[in-house]
């Protein structure tokens, strides 16, 4: 069973507008959530994260929102730029001290239209 | 400081052949991970090593073995390759510090099994 879900395989957004990527999870034990960005032929790179005790974390153009009651998180990118075109993965951490693992979603391909 | 390096970048195998994917990190990280990425499946954990001398199965371990050779190196072996193992393989590493949650990924190995 897929514990972390990204239901939109792809998303197209006009340059300068807001991009909103969504992620749902099923396990309430996850204690940390991360977003990764991946360009073709490269490894994923860390973008932003949020602890389960917070509901918002902001870093420049990127903001992650967490709604624990709905088991939902979203990544907002404002304003969107052509370099943001990539595949975005959300990931959730299982809190096993010293043995933490991440469970990844299936990814959303974001295309920014100039 | 190269981060996480993987060799080879590309490999083509015939069914039944064996090979070892190499991974090394120079960040003095305790934990290392092997993932595979398949279309529509996201990143799935194959094996991980929380510290030197320990290894554990992830979500999809069948058909693979691993060796944590030392703190720097974590190799993934396919003893008898099958077409279902055609995938892109990523190695990642992470510090033991729980305040640092991100995993750092290598550039990947693209494996095709004919």
């Amino acid at each position: 069973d897929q514990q972390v879900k990204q239901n939109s395989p792809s998303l197209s957004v006009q340059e300068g507008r807001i991009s909103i990527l969504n992620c749902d999870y099923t396990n309430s034990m996850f204690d940390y959530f991360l977003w990764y960005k991946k360009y073709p032929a490269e490894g994923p790179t860390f973008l932003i994260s949020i602890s389960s005790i917070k509901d918002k974390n902001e870093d420049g153009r990127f903001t992650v929102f967490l709604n624990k009651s709905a088991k939902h998180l979203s990544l907002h990118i404002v304003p969107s730029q052509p370099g943001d075109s990539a595949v975005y993965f959300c990931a959730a951490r299982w809190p096993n001290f010293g043995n933490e693992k991440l469970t990844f979603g299936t990814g959303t391909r974001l295309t920014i239209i100039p | 400081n190269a981060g996480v390096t993987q060799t080879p970048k590309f490999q083509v195998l015939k069914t039944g052949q064996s090979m070892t994917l190499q991974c090394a990190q120079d960040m003095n990280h305790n934990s290392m991970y092997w993932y595979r990425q398949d279309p529509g499946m996201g990143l799935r954990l194959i094996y991980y090593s929380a510290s030197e001398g320990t290894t554990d199965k992830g979500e999809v371990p069948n058909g693979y073995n691993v060796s944590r050779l030392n703190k720097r190196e974590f190799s993934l072996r396919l003893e008898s390759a099958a077409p279902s193992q055609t995938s892109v393989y990523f190695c990642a590493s992470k510090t033991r510090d729980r305040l640092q949650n991100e995993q750092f990924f290598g550039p990947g190995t693209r494996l095709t099994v004919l």
Side-chain angles (χ1 to χ4, degrees), chain B residues 6-34:
Chain B
Q6 293 182 236
T7 55
K9 284 189 167 49
F10 301 94
Q11 184 71 48
V12 178
L13 292 177
K14 294 181 180 177
T15 297
Q17 287 185 315
S18 63
M19 80 160 295
T20 300
L21 283 66
Q22 306 287 355
C23 174
Q25 52 91 9
D26 62 2
M27 297 174 281
N28 201 34
H29 286 169
N30 286 85
S31 302
M32 297 186 74
Y33 308 82
W34 275 106

Side-chain angles (χ1 to χ4, degrees), chain A residues 10-11 18 28 42 55-56 61 80-81 94 99 104 113:
Chain A
S10 62
L11 175 68
I18 183 171
S28 58
E42 294 183 11
D55 54 19
K56 178 182 174 181
R61 296 186 298 113
S80 300
Q81 299 175 352
W94 180 259
N99 220 11
F104 284 82
I113 304 163

Side-chain angles (χ1 to χ4, degrees), chain A residues 32 36 43 93 97 99-101, chain B residues 33 48 50 98 101 103 106:
Chain A
Y32 227 91
Y36 279 82
R93 187 182 81 169
F97 180 72
N99 220 11
E100 293 94 359
K101 295 186 290 185
Chain B
Y33 308 82
Y48 65 104
R98 293 198 91 230
N101 292 290
Q103 294 180 12

Side-chain angles (χ1 to χ4, degrees), chain A:
Chain A
D1 69 343
Q2 191 75 25
Q3 295 192 68
V4 178
K5 300 177 185 178
Q6 294 176 257
N7 292 317
S8 299
S10 62
L11 175 68
S12 294
V13 174
Q14 206 77 32
E15 181 179 357
R17 306 294 287 268
I18 183 171
S19 295
I20 300 176
L21 294 91
N22 294 304
C23 180
D24 297 294
Y25 61 96
T26 57
N27 196 328
S28 58
M29 293 296 291
F30 289 136
D31 70 341
Y32 227 91
F33 301 90
L34 302 88
W35 284 94
Y36 279 82
K37 176 179 180 178
K38 185 184 178 306
Y39 292 121
E42 294 183 11
T45 54
F46 171 74
L47 196 55
I48 192 169
S49 64
I50 187 168
S51 165
S52 61
I53 63 173
K54 298 191 174 182
D55 54 19
K56 178 182 174 181
N57 187 27
E58 197 170 349
D59 183 2
R61 296 186 298 113
F62 303 92
T63 303
V64 56
F65 295 93
L66 176 62
N67 182 333
K68 282 188 70 176
S69 61
K71 295 191 178 69
H72 177 83
L73 65 154
S74 60
L75 174 68
H76 292 211
I77 306 173
V78 184
S80 300
Q81 299 175 352
D84 296 330
S85 294
V87 176
Y88 291 79
F89 292 99
C90 68
R93 187 182 81 169
W94 180 259
N96 187 3
F97 180 72
N99 220 11
E100 293 94 359
K101 295 186 290 185
L102 295 179
T103 299
F104 284 82
T106 52
T108 296
R109 181 178 302 278
L110 175 65
T111 302
I112 305 302
I113 304 163

